[in-house]
Structure formats: C-alpha cells, structure tokens
Amino acid sequence: FLVGLVFLLEQVMGERNGTSVTPAVEGELQAGKPSNLLDRDRIMNDMTNTGTVGALIGGFALSIFNREFKNVPFEFATGVIIFLSVHLCTFAALSSAIIYRRVNCMDEDGVAKFVAKWSHIIGMPQKVFVVGCFCYLVGVILLGIANHGGLDAHHNYPIAFSICGGMCCLMIGYILLVVQ
C-alpha cells in the first residue's frame, strides 16, 4: 500500500513541482544548457523545509508512540501506523540533510549534473514525507477513537473523530494536488 502511495505521489507531484526531470530537460542538462527547474538554491530550500518539518512531525509521532497499545487489532493498527509515521518522517529528514549537504558542496554545474543523474533521488524525501504525514494524521484519528471508547463506543466520538480527521486529510490532499 505505502509503495503504491509513494509511486502515485511520484507521478502526480514529480510532474507538477519539477522534481522529476523530463526527457527534454534531461537532454538540455546533458547538452550543457542550464535548467531553471532545479537549481542549487531551490534544492537546498526544499531539503531544508522537508527536513525540518519531517523532524517535527516525526517527533510528534514518536511522542504518541511512547504510549502502550493494547493487543487488540484496532490499537495494533494504530501503533503500526504511528510507527510508520515515525520512520518515514525520520527518513525524510535524514535523507533531506544528506542531499542538502551534497548539493551545498557543489557548484551550479555540478548540481546540474547531479540532477540529471539522480533526479529520482532528489524528489524522494518529499514524497516519503507526505506519506509519513498521512500516516501521522490517520494515526491521530485512530488514537482519538481508541482513547474515547474505540469503535464500540456508544458515543459519537468515533464518528466525530473520523469526520473531522477525514476532512483534514482531504483538505491537505487537495492543497497538495492544487498547489503542486
């Protein structure tokens, strides 16, 4: 599921935000023509943003993960989703730092060659970060339901948490697709 989600994000986001190099741009880069799609400053700014927010969300998820989850399927699923969020956001933060460091040590020509060779790697931190944030949001919804009686609750908590959390996820997805 997560691999499919990352692949879908790669197809949607990569074409819209310029992190995937099209064959035409790759040809320009190999011919020595500069491309304004992925210059040094844009890559470094993107890596800084993704790394910072990834570390923040990963820390939030880790603080949630420190609670004890009961050995019932619903809470087990919640724990797994929060666990994935911690690792995906940590991966996004660390890989962003590694790419930032690499790009920071290059001149513009070196960056152009790096982009031509490793364009699929440059967009990876952001895509993994988005999946990690999605896991975090879903985990918070499930945790809210679990903390207020679970799915068997006679209250309206499960419905309210599901509707509000689902709306948040949909709005974030909408903004992601429209702004990209």
Side-chain angles (χ1 to χ4, degrees), residues 69-87:
F69 293 95
K70 297 176 185 168
N71 195 14
V72 294
F74 183 77
E75 289 212 22
F76 177 76
T78 303
V80 168
I81 289 173
I82 294 296
F83 177 79
L84 286 172
S85 177
V86 170
H87 282 281

Side-chain angles (χ1 to χ4, degrees), residues 150-166:
L151 295 174
D152 298 330
H154 297 290
H155 307 287
N156 292 326
Y157 289 120
I159 296 169
F161 287 139
S162 297
I163 290 172
C164 293

Side-chain angles (χ1 to χ4, degrees), residues 1-73:
F1 171 74
L2 291 175
V3 172
L5 189 55
V6 169
F7 178 75
L8 177 65
L9 287 170
E10 183 174 313
Q11 297 303 312
V12 172
M13 290 172 47
E15 294 173 4
R16 291 187 176 190
N17 70 5
T19 56
S20 289
V21 177
T22 63
V25 173
E26 190 170 334
E28 287 180 12
L29 290 171
Q30 289 175 351
K33 297 178 184 175
S35 174
N36 63 354
L37 292 177
L38 287 173
D39 61 10
R40 184 174 184 265
D41 290 334
R42 288 181 187 188
I43 293 172
M44 291 175 63
N45 289 336
D46 188 42
M47 294 302 134
T48 299
N49 185 35
T50 302
T52 302
V53 181
L56 184 66
I57 299 295
F60 291 159
L62 182 61
S63 68
I64 292 172
F65 189 69
N66 286 332
R67 74 182 290 269
E68 185 176 326
F69 293 95
K70 297 176 185 168
N71 195 14
V72 294

Side-chain angles (χ1 to χ4, degrees), residues 47 51 92-102:
M47 294 302 134
L94 294 175
S95 60
S96 293
I98 292 166
I99 293 171
Y100 181 96
R101 171 78 171 106
R102 176 82 169 132

